[in-house]
Amino acid sequence: MALTREQVVDTAVAILRDFGLADLSMRRLARELDVQVGALYWHVKNKQELLVDVAARLLGGIPASGAGPAAGRPAPREEGGTTPERAAVVHLALRIRAALVPVPDSAEVVQLAQTLQPAALEPLTRLRELLEAAGVPPRHSGWAQHLLLNHILGSVAAHQDRATLDAVDAIGGPELGEDAFRWGLDAALDGMLAPSR
Amino acid sequence: MALTREQVVDTAVAILRDFGLADLSMRRLARELDVQVGALYWHVKNKQELLVDVAARLLGGIPASGAGPAAGRPAPREEGGTTPERAAVVHLALRIRAALVPVPDSAEVVQLAQTLQPAALEPLTRLRELLEAAGVPPRHSGWAQHLLLNHILGSVAAHQDRATLDAVDAIGGPELGEDAFRWGLDAALDGMLAPSR
DNA sequence: ACCTGAACACCGTTCAAGT
DNA sequence: ACCTGAACACCGTTCAAGT
C-alpha cells in the first residue's frame, strides 16, 4: 500500500527522538521507509515543511488542560501572591518543556517551525492567550510569549547539550535543570505581571 | 606567504556577515582564500572550533565600558527605581544585541560557541558578573545570565528571520524590534532583582 | 496517483604525498 | 611547516520515466 504523509512524519519524529537532528536526513528517512529519496517529495514539499510538521507533532500531545478562558476581566490577586491564571501559564510552560526535553534537538526544530509557521504550533498561541488572561496587555503579549518561549527553548537546548557534552568531555557551567527553569520562569512572570507594566 | 589562522577566521566572519551561515562552508572558505580545503585543517581542528572563534570575534569588539566592579556590597536603590549596576547590565545587553543584529545567523553561531566553550566569550561572562553586582545572588547568577542570553539571542534571531521572511513571503507575527527587546529585558530584570528573590 | 533511477550541485573530514 | 590532490561518505532537490 501507498506511503502516507503521516508515516513520513512519524518516522521523522522517531529518527529525531532516537538519533537527533544530524541523523534526520531525507535519505536516511527514505531508507527507513524503504523507498527512494524522491518518493518523499511527493508527500512533502521540502525538508523545512517536514520539520514544521515534526515540531507540531512534538507539541501536539499537550492537552488543553483546565484554566479556561477568563480573559477580559483583570486577574485577581490572591493571598499567596499568585493567581489561577498565572498558574495556568506556569503549567503550560512546564508541559511544553517536558514534551521537548526527551527529544534531542527539539528546541532547534521548534524554533525553526515557530519562525516559519507560527500559527502551526497551537500550544504556543495558547501560551500567549494565557498570558493575556493573566494580565499582560494585548500589545505586549506577543513580546511576553517570545520571552517565555526563548526561555523554554534555551532551557531545553542547554539541558540537552549539557547531557551530550558531559558524556564526552565534562566541561564547566551551571546545571540548568528544572530548578533553573522555574526560577527564570517565576522571575520573568514577576516582571511581566508587575503593576507598573 | 603562508596562510594564518587569523586570515581564516577573518574570511569566515566576512562570509557570515555577507551571505549567512548556509554559505559559510569549509569549501567556500577555501575558495575565497585561494587554497584547497585540506589546507584549512592545518590551521583549525574542525568547523565547530572555527565557529567558536567566529563568535568570539563577533563579540570581541564590545568594550569593557564604565560601571566597574562594585561587587560584594549590595546595590543601593535609587529614586528612579534603578541603580547604576542595573544600568550597566542593560547597557551591556544592548551592546551585545547591537553587535549581533547586523550579522546573519549570528545568534546561532554564538549559541553554539556558548555551549561548546562558555569561557571563550568574554562579554557573556562579564554579563554574569554585572548581574551579581546588580544584586543577583551568586548561586542564581548563572541562571540569570542564561535567561538574559536566551532573550538576547532569541531577539536577534527573530529580528533577522523576520527580515528575511518579509523579503520573501510577508507573514504575520509581532514586530519584535528593539522596543520588544527592552520591554523583555526590563521585565526580566525587575523579576530577577526583586527583593523576594 | 505514486514511485524509481539517476543525476546535479553540493557538504565535512582525512591523509598520503609533495615542497 | 605548510599545502595539494584525491578520496570517502555523505547531503537536499529535481525530474524524466515507469507503473
mmCIF file of all heavy atoms in Angstrom, chain A residues 99-134:
data_model
loop_
_atom_site.group_PDB
_atom_site.id
_atom_site.type_symbol
_atom_site.label_atom_id
_atom_site.label_comp_id
_atom_site.label_asym_id
_atom_site.label_seq_id
_atom_site.Cartn_x
_atom_site.Cartn_y
_atom_site.Cartn_z
ATOM 1 N N ALA A 99 7.663 18.172 27.246
ATOM 2 C CA ALA A 99 7.463 17.475 25.969
ATOM 3 C C ALA A 99 8.727 17.502 25.118
ATOM 4 O O ALA A 99 8.999 16.573 24.359
ATOM 5 C CB ALA A 99 6.297 18.104 25.200
ATOM 6 N N LEU A 100 9.511 18.560 25.253
ATOM 7 C CA LEU A 100 10.681 18.724 24.386
ATOM 8 C C LEU A 100 11.949 18.111 24.967
ATOM 9 O O LEU A 100 12.821 17.647 24.224
ATOM 10 C CB LEU A 100 10.906 20.212 24.099
ATOM 11 C CG LEU A 100 9.769 20.929 23.373
ATOM 12 C CD1 LEU A 100 10.137 22.374 23.090
ATOM 13 C CD2 LEU A 100 9.405 20.202 22.083
ATOM 14 N N VAL A 101 12.066 18.124 26.268
ATOM 15 C CA VAL A 101 13.317 17.702 26.903
ATOM 16 C C VAL A 101 13.779 16.309 26.471
ATOM 17 O O VAL A 101 14.973 16.107 26.216
ATOM 18 C CB VAL A 101 13.206 17.813 28.438
ATOM 19 C CG1 VAL A 101 14.068 16.790 29.131
ATOM 20 C CG2 VAL A 101 13.621 19.214 28.889
ATOM 21 N N PRO A 102 12.893 15.323 26.353
ATOM 22 C CA PRO A 102 13.389 13.991 25.982
ATOM 23 C C PRO A 102 13.752 13.839 24.509
ATOM 24 O O PRO A 102 14.321 12.803 24.142
ATOM 25 C CB PRO A 102 12.228 13.066 26.354
ATOM 26 C CG PRO A 102 11.035 13.923 26.399
ATOM 27 C CD PRO A 102 11.470 15.292 26.759
ATOM 28 N N VAL A 103 13.444 14.819 23.671
ATOM 29 C CA VAL A 103 13.719 14.688 22.234
ATOM 30 C C VAL A 103 14.919 15.552 21.847
ATOM 31 O O VAL A 103 14.843 16.776 21.912
ATOM 32 C CB VAL A 103 12.496 15.109 21.396
ATOM 33 C CG1 VAL A 103 12.784 14.923 19.916
ATOM 34 C CG2 VAL A 103 11.267 14.325 21.818
ATOM 35 N N PRO A 104 16.002 14.943 21.418
ATOM 36 C CA PRO A 104 17.212 15.697 21.078
ATOM 37 C C PRO A 104 16.950 16.748 20.006
ATOM 38 O O PRO A 104 16.217 16.481 19.047
ATOM 39 C CB PRO A 104 18.166 14.626 20.546
ATOM 40 C CG PRO A 104 17.613 13.329 20.984
ATOM 41 C CD PRO A 104 16.168 13.499 21.247
ATOM 42 N N ASP A 105 17.561 17.903 20.179
ATOM 43 C CA ASP A 105 17.491 18.975 19.183
ATOM 44 C C ASP A 105 16.071 19.476 18.945
ATOM 45 O O ASP A 105 15.815 20.173 17.958
ATOM 46 C CB ASP A 105 18.098 18.517 17.845
ATOM 47 C CG ASP A 105 19.518 18.007 17.998
ATOM 48 O OD1 ASP A 105 20.311 18.664 18.687
ATOM 49 O OD2 ASP A 105 19.836 16.939 17.451
ATOM 50 N N SER A 106 15.160 19.122 19.828
ATOM 51 C CA SER A 106 13.770 19.546 19.615
ATOM 52 C C SER A 106 13.632 21.063 19.689
ATOM 53 O O SER A 106 12.801 21.647 18.991
ATOM 54 C CB SER A 106 12.862 18.886 20.641
ATOM 55 O OG SER A 106 13.339 19.130 21.946
ATOM 56 N N ALA A 107 14.451 21.709 20.506
ATOM 57 C CA ALA A 107 14.359 23.168 20.616
ATOM 58 C C ALA A 107 14.654 23.818 19.268
ATOM 59 O O ALA A 107 13.955 24.739 18.838
ATOM 60 C CB ALA A 107 15.322 23.681 21.680
ATOM 61 N N GLU A 108 15.672 23.317 18.614
ATOM 62 C CA GLU A 108 16.038 23.839 17.299
ATOM 63 C C GLU A 108 14.890 23.666 16.301
ATOM 64 O O GLU A 108 14.569 24.583 15.539
ATOM 65 C CB GLU A 108 17.268 23.081 16.802
ATOM 66 C CG GLU A 108 18.232 23.867 15.973
ATOM 67 C CD GLU A 108 19.537 23.078 15.778
ATOM 68 O OE1 GLU A 108 19.993 22.467 16.762
ATOM 69 O OE2 GLU A 108 20.061 23.047 14.669
ATOM 70 N N VAL A 109 14.292 22.496 16.317
ATOM 71 C CA VAL A 109 13.205 22.213 15.382
ATOM 72 C C VAL A 109 11.999 23.111 15.658
ATOM 73 O O VAL A 109 11.386 23.659 14.730
ATOM 74 C CB VAL A 109 12.803 20.728 15.467
ATOM 75 C CG1 VAL A 109 11.602 20.441 14.584
ATOM 76 C CG2 VAL A 109 13.970 19.844 15.073
ATOM 77 N N VAL A 110 11.671 23.280 16.935
ATOM 78 C CA VAL A 110 10.521 24.120 17.283
ATOM 79 C C VAL A 110 10.787 25.582 16.921
ATOM 80 O O VAL A 110 9.902 26.282 16.427
ATOM 81 C CB VAL A 110 10.188 23.993 18.783
ATOM 82 C CG1 VAL A 110 9.190 25.059 19.207
ATOM 83 C CG2 VAL A 110 9.641 22.600 19.066
ATOM 84 N N GLN A 111 12.016 26.030 17.142
ATOM 85 C CA GLN A 111 12.326 27.414 16.799
ATOM 86 C C GLN A 111 12.172 27.648 15.293
ATOM 87 O O GLN A 111 11.597 28.644 14.863
ATOM 88 C CB GLN A 111 13.746 27.760 17.230
ATOM 89 C CG GLN A 111 14.031 29.263 17.125
ATOM 90 C CD GLN A 111 15.287 29.655 17.863
ATOM 91 O OE1 GLN A 111 16.201 28.864 18.013
ATOM 92 N NE2 GLN A 111 15.341 30.883 18.338
ATOM 93 N N LEU A 112 12.680 26.706 14.519
ATOM 94 C CA LEU A 112 12.509 26.809 13.068
ATOM 95 C C LEU A 112 11.037 26.879 12.697
ATOM 96 O O LEU A 112 10.614 27.754 11.926
ATOM 97 C CB LEU A 112 13.149 25.593 12.389
ATOM 98 C CG LEU A 112 13.081 25.609 10.870
ATOM 99 C CD1 LEU A 112 14.234 26.398 10.290
ATOM 100 C CD2 LEU A 112 13.067 24.196 10.295
ATOM 101 N N ALA A 113 10.253 25.984 13.252
ATOM 102 C CA ALA A 113 8.823 25.941 12.936
ATOM 103 C C ALA A 113 8.134 27.237 13.356
ATOM 104 O O ALA A 113 7.262 27.755 12.647
ATOM 105 C CB ALA A 113 8.180 24.744 13.624
ATOM 106 N N GLN A 114 8.541 27.748 14.501
ATOM 107 C CA GLN A 114 7.921 28.960 15.021
ATOM 108 C C GLN A 114 8.178 30.152 14.103
ATOM 109 O O GLN A 114 7.303 31.003 13.914
ATOM 110 C CB GLN A 114 8.454 29.239 16.431
ATOM 111 C CG GLN A 114 8.133 30.617 17.000
ATOM 112 C CD GLN A 114 6.661 30.772 17.380
ATOM 113 O OE1 GLN A 114 5.858 29.856 17.200
ATOM 114 N NE2 GLN A 114 6.324 31.933 17.896
ATOM 115 N N THR A 115 9.358 30.222 13.511
ATOM 116 C CA THR A 115 9.622 31.354 12.615
ATOM 117 C C THR A 115 9.006 31.114 11.244
ATOM 118 O O THR A 115 8.630 32.051 10.567
ATOM 119 C CB THR A 115 11.132 31.604 12.443
ATOM 120 O OG1 THR A 115 11.697 30.530 11.707
ATOM 121 C CG2 THR A 115 11.839 31.692 13.775
ATOM 122 N N LEU A 116 8.901 29.839 10.856
ATOM 123 C CA LEU A 116 8.348 29.544 9.532
ATOM 124 C C LEU A 116 6.824 29.618 9.516
ATOM 125 O O LEU A 116 6.245 30.193 8.597
ATOM 126 C CB LEU A 116 8.799 28.143 9.094
ATOM 127 C CG LEU A 116 9.781 28.047 7.951
ATOM 128 C CD1 LEU A 116 10.924 29.022 8.105
ATOM 129 C CD2 LEU A 116 10.303 26.631 7.826
ATOM 130 N N GLN A 117 6.217 29.023 10.504
ATOM 131 C CA GLN A 117 4.749 28.986 10.557
ATOM 132 C C GLN A 117 4.262 29.090 11.991
ATOM 133 O O GLN A 117 3.859 28.094 12.589
ATOM 134 C CB GLN A 117 4.229 27.675 9.951
ATOM 135 C CG GLN A 117 4.432 27.558 8.447
ATOM 136 C CD GLN A 117 3.714 26.338 7.885
ATOM 137 O OE1 GLN A 117 2.568 26.060 8.228
ATOM 138 N NE2 GLN A 117 4.389 25.589 7.038
ATOM 139 N N PRO A 118 4.273 30.303 12.537
ATOM 140 C CA PRO A 118 3.925 30.495 13.953
ATOM 141 C C PRO A 118 2.563 29.911 14.313
ATOM 142 O O PRO A 118 2.375 29.412 15.424
ATOM 143 C CB PRO A 118 3.920 32.018 14.105
ATOM 144 C CG PRO A 118 4.688 32.551 12.954
ATOM 145 C CD PRO A 118 4.553 31.566 11.848
ATOM 146 N N ALA A 119 1.636 29.954 13.389
ATOM 147 C CA ALA A 119 0.280 29.522 13.715
ATOM 148 C C ALA A 119 0.154 28.003 13.796
ATOM 149 O O ALA A 119 -0.845 27.484 14.284
ATOM 150 C CB ALA A 119 -0.692 30.063 12.671
ATOM 151 N N ALA A 120 1.175 27.281 13.314
ATOM 152 C CA ALA A 120 1.083 25.824 13.254
ATOM 153 C C ALA A 120 1.276 25.174 14.618
ATOM 154 O O ALA A 120 0.967 23.999 14.786
ATOM 155 C CB ALA A 120 2.114 25.276 12.267
ATOM 156 N N LEU A 121 1.776 25.922 15.575
ATOM 157 C CA LEU A 121 2.073 25.343 16.883
ATOM 158 C C LEU A 121 1.066 25.860 17.918
ATOM 159 O O LEU A 121 1.285 26.873 18.577
ATOM 160 C CB LEU A 121 3.514 25.695 17.290
ATOM 161 C CG LEU A 121 4.575 25.283 16.261
ATOM 162 C CD1 LEU A 121 5.964 25.708 16.708
ATOM 163 C CD2 LEU A 121 4.545 23.785 16.021
ATOM 164 N N GLU A 122 -0.002 25.131 18.040
ATOM 165 C CA GLU A 122 -1.140 25.581 18.843
ATOM 166 C C GLU A 122 -0.763 25.899 20.292
ATOM 167 O O GLU A 122 -1.173 26.946 20.820
ATOM 168 C CB GLU A 122 -2.258 24.527 18.765
ATOM 169 C CG GLU A 122 -3.591 24.981 19.349
ATOM 170 C CD GLU A 122 -3.641 24.740 20.852
ATOM 171 O OE1 GLU A 122 -2.914 23.846 21.342
ATOM 172 O OE2 GLU A 122 -4.388 25.466 21.546
ATOM 173 N N PRO A 123 0.008 25.042 20.963
ATOM 174 C CA PRO A 123 0.312 25.343 22.366
ATOM 175 C C PRO A 123 1.011 26.692 22.549
ATOM 176 O O PRO A 123 0.870 27.316 23.600
ATOM 177 C CB PRO A 123 1.239 24.194 22.781
ATOM 178 C CG PRO A 123 0.878 23.080 21.867
ATOM 179 C CD PRO A 123 0.563 23.739 20.559
ATOM 180 N N LEU A 124 1.735 27.139 21.534
ATOM 181 C CA LEU A 124 2.445 28.408 21.668
ATOM 182 C C LEU A 124 1.492 29.595 21.531
ATOM 183 O O LEU A 124 1.656 30.613 22.207
ATOM 184 C CB LEU A 124 3.565 28.494 20.637
ATOM 185 C CG LEU A 124 4.579 27.344 20.696
ATOM 186 C CD1 LEU A 124 5.775 27.641 19.808
ATOM 187 C CD2 LEU A 124 5.024 27.083 22.124
ATOM 188 N N THR A 125 0.493 29.450 20.689
ATOM 189 C CA THR A 125 -0.513 30.513 20.620
ATOM 190 C C THR A 125 -1.354 30.509 21.894
ATOM 191 O O THR A 125 -1.759 31.569 22.385
ATOM 192 C CB THR A 125 -1.414 30.340 19.393
ATOM 193 O OG1 THR A 125 -2.178 29.131 19.546
ATOM 194 C CG2 THR A 125 -0.594 30.221 18.123
ATOM 195 N N ARG A 126 -1.584 29.312 22.425
ATOM 196 C CA ARG A 126 -2.320 29.225 23.693
ATOM 197 C C ARG A 126 -1.543 29.907 24.812
ATOM 198 O O ARG A 126 -2.121 30.559 25.689
ATOM 199 C CB ARG A 126 -2.571 27.752 24.036
ATOM 200 C CG ARG A 126 -3.362 27.544 25.300
ATOM 201 C CD ARG A 126 -4.252 26.316 25.222
ATOM 202 N NE ARG A 126 -3.619 25.226 24.501
ATOM 203 C CZ ARG A 126 -3.063 24.162 25.084
ATOM 204 N NH1 ARG A 126 -3.069 24.062 26.395
ATOM 205 N NH2 ARG A 126 -2.536 23.208 24.371
ATOM 206 N N LEU A 127 -0.222 29.753 24.785
ATOM 207 C CA LEU A 127 0.610 30.403 25.793
ATOM 208 C C LEU A 127 0.360 31.909 25.792
ATOM 209 O O LEU A 127 0.231 32.540 26.850
ATOM 210 C CB LEU A 127 2.089 30.110 25.492
ATOM 211 C CG LEU A 127 3.111 30.581 26.522
ATOM 212 C CD1 LEU A 127 2.915 29.880 27.852
ATOM 213 C CD2 LEU A 127 4.540 30.353 26.017
ATOM 214 N N ARG A 128 0.271 32.466 24.605
ATOM 215 C CA ARG A 128 0.016 33.905 24.502
ATOM 216 C C ARG A 128 -1.352 34.280 25.077
ATOM 217 O O ARG A 128 -1.488 35.268 25.804
ATOM 218 C CB ARG A 128 0.111 34.317 23.025
ATOM 219 C CG ARG A 128 -0.159 35.786 22.816
ATOM 220 C CD ARG A 128 0.178 36.207 21.403
ATOM 221 N NE ARG A 128 -0.131 37.614 21.179
ATOM 222 C CZ ARG A 128 0.217 38.280 20.083
ATOM 223 N NH1 ARG A 128 0.888 37.666 19.133
ATOM 224 N NH2 ARG A 128 -0.084 39.553 19.934
ATOM 225 N N GLU A 129 -2.335 33.458 24.780
ATOM 226 C CA GLU A 129 -3.675 33.732 25.314
ATOM 227 C C GLU A 129 -3.684 33.691 26.832
ATOM 228 O O GLU A 129 -4.277 34.550 27.486
ATOM 229 C CB GLU A 129 -4.675 32.715 24.758
ATOM 230 C CG GLU A 129 -4.946 32.858 23.265
ATOM 231 C CD GLU A 129 -5.593 31.613 22.660
ATOM 232 O OE1 GLU A 129 -6.073 30.745 23.437
ATOM 233 O OE2 GLU A 129 -5.608 31.506 21.422
ATOM 234 N N LEU A 130 -3.003 32.686 27.378
ATOM 235 C CA LEU A 130 -2.966 32.563 28.837
ATOM 236 C C LEU A 130 -2.242 33.745 29.469
ATOM 237 O O LEU A 130 -2.581 34.178 30.575
ATOM 238 C CB LEU A 130 -2.287 31.251 29.237
ATOM 239 C CG LEU A 130 -3.061 29.972 28.918
ATOM 240 C CD1 LEU A 130 -2.277 28.737 29.344
ATOM 241 C CD2 LEU A 130 -4.436 29.973 29.586
ATOM 242 N N LEU A 131 -1.220 34.243 28.783
ATOM 243 C CA LEU A 131 -0.510 35.414 29.300
ATOM 244 C C LEU A 131 -1.430 36.624 29.352
ATOM 245 O O LEU A 131 -1.418 37.393 30.329
ATOM 246 C CB LEU A 131 0.716 35.709 28.423
ATOM 247 C CG LEU A 131 1.932 34.829 28.712
ATOM 248 C CD1 LEU A 131 2.947 34.890 27.574
ATOM 249 C CD2 LEU A 131 2.593 35.232 30.029
ATOM 250 N N GLU A 132 -2.243 36.767 28.332
ATOM 251 C CA GLU A 132 -3.205 37.880 28.361
ATOM 252 C C GLU A 132 -4.215 37.697 29.485
ATOM 253 O O GLU A 132 -4.545 38.643 30.204
ATOM 254 C CB GLU A 132 -3.916 37.995 27.008
ATOM 255 C CG GLU A 132 -2.995 38.460 25.890
ATOM 256 C CD GLU A 132 -3.748 38.834 24.611
ATOM 257 O OE1 GLU A 132 -4.983 39.013 24.669
ATOM 258 O OE2 GLU A 132 -3.095 38.936 23.559
ATOM 259 N N ALA A 133 -4.675 36.464 29.635
ATOM 260 C CA ALA A 133 -5.628 36.190 30.725
ATOM 261 C C ALA A 133 -4.998 36.477 32.082
ATOM 262 O O ALA A 133 -5.681 36.875 33.027
ATOM 263 C CB ALA A 133 -6.092 34.743 30.651
ATOM 264 N N ALA A 134 -3.694 36.309 32.163
ATOM 265 C CA ALA A 134 -3.006 36.535 33.436
ATOM 266 C C ALA A 134 -2.716 38.004 33.682
ATOM 267 O O ALA A 134 -2.234 38.371 34.761
ATOM 268 C CB ALA A 134 -1.715 35.730 33.487
#
